[in-house]
Amino acid sequence: MRRVALATGLTALLALTGCADDSDSLRPASPSAATDATPAANSTGDRVQVVTSIDVYADIARTIGGDAVEVRSLLASDSGADPHSYEATARDQLAVRDADLVIANGGHYDEFLTRALSAAGGDRAVITVVPSEADEHADETPEEHAEHTDESDDHEGETPEEHAEHAGEGAEHEGAEHEDEGHDEGHDHGRDGNEHVWYDLQLMGTLAGRIAEELAQLHPADRDGFTARATEFENGIAELRQRQESMFSVHDGTPVAVTEPLPLFLLTDCGLVDRTPPAFSQAIEEGTDVPVRVLQDTLNLFSDGAVELLVYNEQTTGPQTERIRSAAEDADIPVVAMSETLPTGQDFLSWMRTNLDALEGALA
């Protein structure tokens, strides 16, 4: 199975590994750099079969693939299913088995797709947007793998104080390395357990390029079309990123609250700072009760005027999130609703454009 992992940090490391043979590693490249060595899975002219876990990635795949692809999202936007607990059906399993390209979010978000892939066997291209540690090191040489193993062994047996000291040294090095590089250069996607990476516009631009590369290998006759549509999509992302930069210059440091971590990548790139007690947003995301003290601390954000905006996940609501929303409205603090799935009638770019419109209007 060919697997592409989108690893993030200062650079987007995208690794392509083979189950049946040794494959060269791939680094970020333009779609035209895709190799012709990979056999075309759909060279007969039939449409490339693409399966995604969620509708967001399905929309991007359709945008890049055009008429050359047939795309199915296992979780439709109106299904109401929780990706964390969803189990693939027999129909899902069949779709994965017959797919030429599979796009997974990765991490722990859509493990049902990971299990379906494992059960399907066979050979297909897989793009994983949030890679596991194994994916990130999949293209290492044996010597590089041994080096990482040795580094881990070096710290074995450390006292907690020694471990903390080494961790601090690493943080100091990272801070020096990233100094003055700009607010958007230090992405660590999936950080703090937030796997809603489709709210990171920069990463979605990178993903579009990788989809174009994979489709070009699977359906070489339409390579130019894939490249052109990916470029158009990336240009749309660039326009949205320019808006984020403008918002950042005006609103850098503005404190906000959220009901879930869902939009934090988007908010951070606009300069907004989340002041929500982590225990609140984590409990809401996990579907557990918010401790009374944590709920009160969150309510106090609005009565004390500690935040200037509430971003509300309109698809995950309950008595506690409704109390938060009411507290914001009572304090005349703007509320912006965002969703986890792609709204009906919108594509990815128009959806994110609508989100930025709402933020700008609320902060004006």
Side-chain angles (χ1 to χ4, degrees), residues 299-343:
L299 292 169
N300 290 344
L301 292 174
F302 308 102
S303 58
D304 294 345
V307 294
E308 299 182 21
L309 176 72
L310 170 66
V311 180
Y312 186 89
N313 183 353
E314 61 186 353
Q315 291 179 290
T316 304
T317 62
Q320 293 170 319
T321 59
E322 288 300 316
R323 286 190 63 184
I324 295 301
R325 180 170 191 152
S326 295
E329 293 171 343
D330 291 344
D332 292 326
I333 291 173
V335 177
V336 171
M338 293 190 184
S339 62
E340 186 159 349
T341 57
L342 188 69

Side-chain angles (χ1 to χ4, degrees), residues 42 47-53 57-58 60-62 65 68-74 95-96 98-103 125 127 211 215 218:
N42 231 310
R47 291 193 292 177
V48 178
Q49 301 299 305
V50 181
V51 171
T52 72
S53 56
Y57 300 137
I60 297 175
R62 289 189 190 98
V69 300
E70 182 174 341
V71 184
R72 179 184 172 191
S73 169
L74 299 188
V96 171
D98 293 340
D100 300 312
L101 172 63
V102 173
I103 305 173
I127 296 176
I211 291 174
L215 292 178
L218 293 165

Side-chain angles (χ1 to χ4, degrees), residues 2 16 23 26 34-41 43 123-125 213-214 216-220 223:
R2 297 188 300 113
L16 186 64
S23 302
L26 282 180
T35 70
D36 293 325
T38 304
S43 58
D123 184 28
R124 65 194 55 79
E213 290 183 13
E214 288 300 302
Q217 295 186 49
L218 293 165
H219 206 287
R223 178 187 300 273

Side-chain angles (χ1 to χ4, degrees), residues 48 97 109 128 165 255 260 334 355:
V48 178
R97 189 197 68 183
Y109 188 79
T128 303
E165 180 179 351
E260 280 194 64
N355 287 332

Side-chain angles (χ1 to χ4, degrees), residues 247-263:
M247 293 178 67
F248 192 97
S249 66
V250 175
H251 300 292
D252 183 20
T254 299
V256 301
V258 299
T259 55
E260 280 194 64
L262 172 71

